[in-house]
Amino acid sequence: MGDLMGRMNEPPRPPGSGFAAWSRDRLALARRGADECGDVWQLEPGVCVAATAGSCDAVLRRARDFPKAPSPLFPPLNGSDGAPTAEERAHAHAARMRGLRAQAVAARIGEIAPGAALFAARWPTDRDVEVLPAARHALAEIGVRFLFSEDAPALLPYAARLFLAREVLVRPSRWEWPRWVPTPARRFRTRQQTAFTDALRPVVRRRLASGRLGDDVLGQMLRPSSRHGPLPEGAVLDTLPGITVATFEAPTRAAGWILLHLARHPGAADRVAAEAASLPADPAATTGAHLDDLRYTRALVQEVLRLYPPSWLLTRQAARRTRLADCTIQAGSTVLVCPYTAHRDAREHPEPDLFRPERWLDGPGSPADPGAFLSFGTGPHACEGAALAMAMLTLLTAHTAGRHRLSEPPGPEPAYRLTTFEGLATAGLRLRATARTPEPSRLR
């Protein structure tokens, strides 16, 4: 009787759903499932979608019931001194967070702003330009420098090849090979991961030998903790490739959507440009206080991330039979957490399909609580680099709007191709920049 009742309470399944419909148009089916079925719906037997703010938040916070799959993109190399233990991984995470928390990011804004300003300065004017490669390069320079400071220039080429290895590895394929099969993509990943590790190892050893560990994220990882002592070299080396790519991969997808919105909403871009006029003429003189003053710019970034979360779908697996939003989730079921539809939950965000940055600001006409925001996740597996990503994107937006007016290319062809397989992206996005005249005055 219990099993029968459990099956009766399984999530509803909208007509015409399934993997074939999902592969044709993921976003449309995600919206339809949320609209027709509510909090949780079933894509296929054993595959459920958490579709609203409450159900998504519950899955991400209940890590014991819905653990993250243990499948790191850059697993430990065979040549290292064994995979890091769970305790060492927890220690490495805590050490990284000392360098990535909001206070640490605010203290180093002057190291982030020059890269954002350089991206805007390098943008060719009065011709259509493919945006994402230049944005990725700029964000990679900023992110890798934040992690490794003066050692960043030597490591940046290896970081770029790590990103390429990731792109090759996650391309759609007809076959899902077991993780132990050495496919060409996995062999390529291993070669690039080995090259990055080989370049990073002498940096680690030099810093340890000299005692000058540095104030960057790597320096925080090399500092011994009072509880665990120093991290083994292997744990440092094996846990850094993933965070290195993460500093610029999802932010690049977000940057594409932000720049597109600057082009489509010139009034909002003008407000950002007005705020950017308060930034110092020397970007290296930018401080956390300057960043705090970019209130509308930050609100615009958050609103774009609400509408188009770069990681629009997160995967969890039910560790045991459990309940979610009055539905029974069977043990072993895959649960897809969908921030894209959660952010369009009208109970959380009035008029959810409208682009309205003001919803994130305090003041007349703005809600006191702007609603759930899951673009960086939540719970124990929330994005480590959320504060860094927001600082990078806010400064990139301010410097770009302060220097240029953006527009989409004329003609019937769309400016980009929407991709949803690995993340929500504006593939091939092309925009045109026209210099703002007169240039906004800068405080000196």
Side-chain angles (χ1 to χ4, degrees), residues 32 44 55 112 128 130 154 188 207 224 269 286 302 332 400 437 441 444:
R32 184 161 69 85
E44 289 269 0
S55 60
I112 298 172
D128 298 338
E130 188 170 347
F188 180 69
R207 291 194 187 191
T286 309
Q302 286 183 282
T400 302
T437 53
S441 60
R444 297 185 180 273

Side-chain angles (χ1 to χ4, degrees), residues 206-252:
R206 171 174 51 76
R207 291 194 187 191
L208 289 172
S210 68
R212 295 190 293 274
L213 303 182
D215 294 327
D216 51 18
V217 174
L218 177 59
Q220 295 295 340
M221 295 188 71
L222 297 180
R223 281 176 170 74
S225 76
S226 57
R227 180 177 178 183
H228 300 284
L231 270 171
E233 181 182 271
V236 175
L237 296 175
D238 280 334
T239 56
L240 276 170
I243 191 66
T244 298
V245 172
T247 60
F248 61 91
E249 180 206 26
T252 298

Side-chain angles (χ1 to χ4, degrees), residues 258-285:
I258 291 166
L259 296 170
L260 180 62
H261 278 71
L262 291 179
R264 290 182 170 178
H265 300 273
D270 289 345
R271 288 189 64 175
V272 172
E275 282 192 340
S278 69
L279 293 173
D282 178 7

Side-chain angles (χ1 to χ4, degrees), residues 130-371:
E130 188 170 347
V131 170
L132 293 187
R136 183 180 304 115
H137 181 74
L139 292 167
E141 286 185 325
I142 297 170
V144 174
R145 178 167 290 279
F146 194 86
L147 296 178
F148 305 113
S149 294
E150 69 275 3
D151 294 303
L155 295 170
L156 184 61
Y158 299 97
R161 288 194 283 272
L162 277 179
F163 171 80
L164 179 60
R166 187 204 187 290
E167 289 290 284
V168 170
L169 196 66
V170 301
R171 284 175 185 164
S173 172
R174 293 181 59 188
W175 306 103
E176 184 66 32
W177 296 101
R179 280 185 285 171
W180 53 266
V181 174
T183 63
R186 289 169 182 166
R187 292 199 301 270
F188 180 69
R189 172 193 61 188
T190 298
R191 289 197 301 272
Q192 303 313 316
Q193 187 177 350
T194 299
F196 176 83
T197 301
D198 289 346
L200 183 57
R201 184 179 289 107
V203 173
V204 169
R205 292 179 178 177
R206 171 174 51 76
R207 291 194 187 191
L208 289 172
S210 68
R212 295 190 293 274
L213 303 182
D215 294 327
D216 51 18
V217 174
L218 177 59
Q220 295 295 340
M221 295 188 71
L222 297 180
R223 281 176 170 74
S225 76
S226 57
R227 180 177 178 183
H228 300 284
L231 270 171
E233 181 182 271
V236 175
L237 296 175
D238 280 334
T239 56
L240 276 170
I243 191 66
T244 298
V245 172
T247 60
F248 61 91
E249 180 206 26
T252 298
R253 293 199 295 268
W257 290 110
I258 291 166
L259 296 170
L260 180 62
H261 278 71
L262 291 179
R264 290 182 170 178
H265 300 273
D270 289 345
R271 288 189 64 175
V272 172
E275 282 192 340
S278 69
L279 293 173
D282 178 7
T286 309
T287 66
H290 292 113
L291 184 66
D292 290 342
D293 287 340
L294 299 175
R295 295 181 66 251
Y296 183 81
T297 306
R298 183 180 181 89
L300 182 143
V301 170
Q302 286 183 282
E303 181 70 346
V304 174
L305 291 175
R306 180 187 70 83
L307 287 167
Y308 300 99
S311 299
W312 73 282
L313 205 63
L314 309 171
T315 304
R316 299 293 186 266
Q317 191 166 45
R320 58 183 68 85
R321 179 171 158 174
T322 187
R323 302 280 291 174
L324 179 66
D326 295 328
C327 293
T328 299
I329 307 297
Q330 302 294 343
S333 295
T334 296
V335 180
L336 303 177
V337 178
C338 189
Y340 178 81
T341 53
H343 288 168
R344 285 167 168 75
D345 185 344
R347 294 167 296 182
E348 294 285 336
H349 303 282
E351 299 179 298
D353 290 315
L354 291 184
F355 172 71
R356 201 174 70 201
E358 293 79 8
R359 75 176 77 234
W360 299 97
L361 299 173
D362 297 327
S366 298
D369 180 0

Side-chain angles (χ1 to χ4, degrees), residues 50-67:
T52 58
S55 60
C56 288
D57 186 81
V59 172
L60 295 176
R61 291 186 185 279
R62 290 166 55 186
R64 290 187 178 182
D65 290 336
F66 302 103

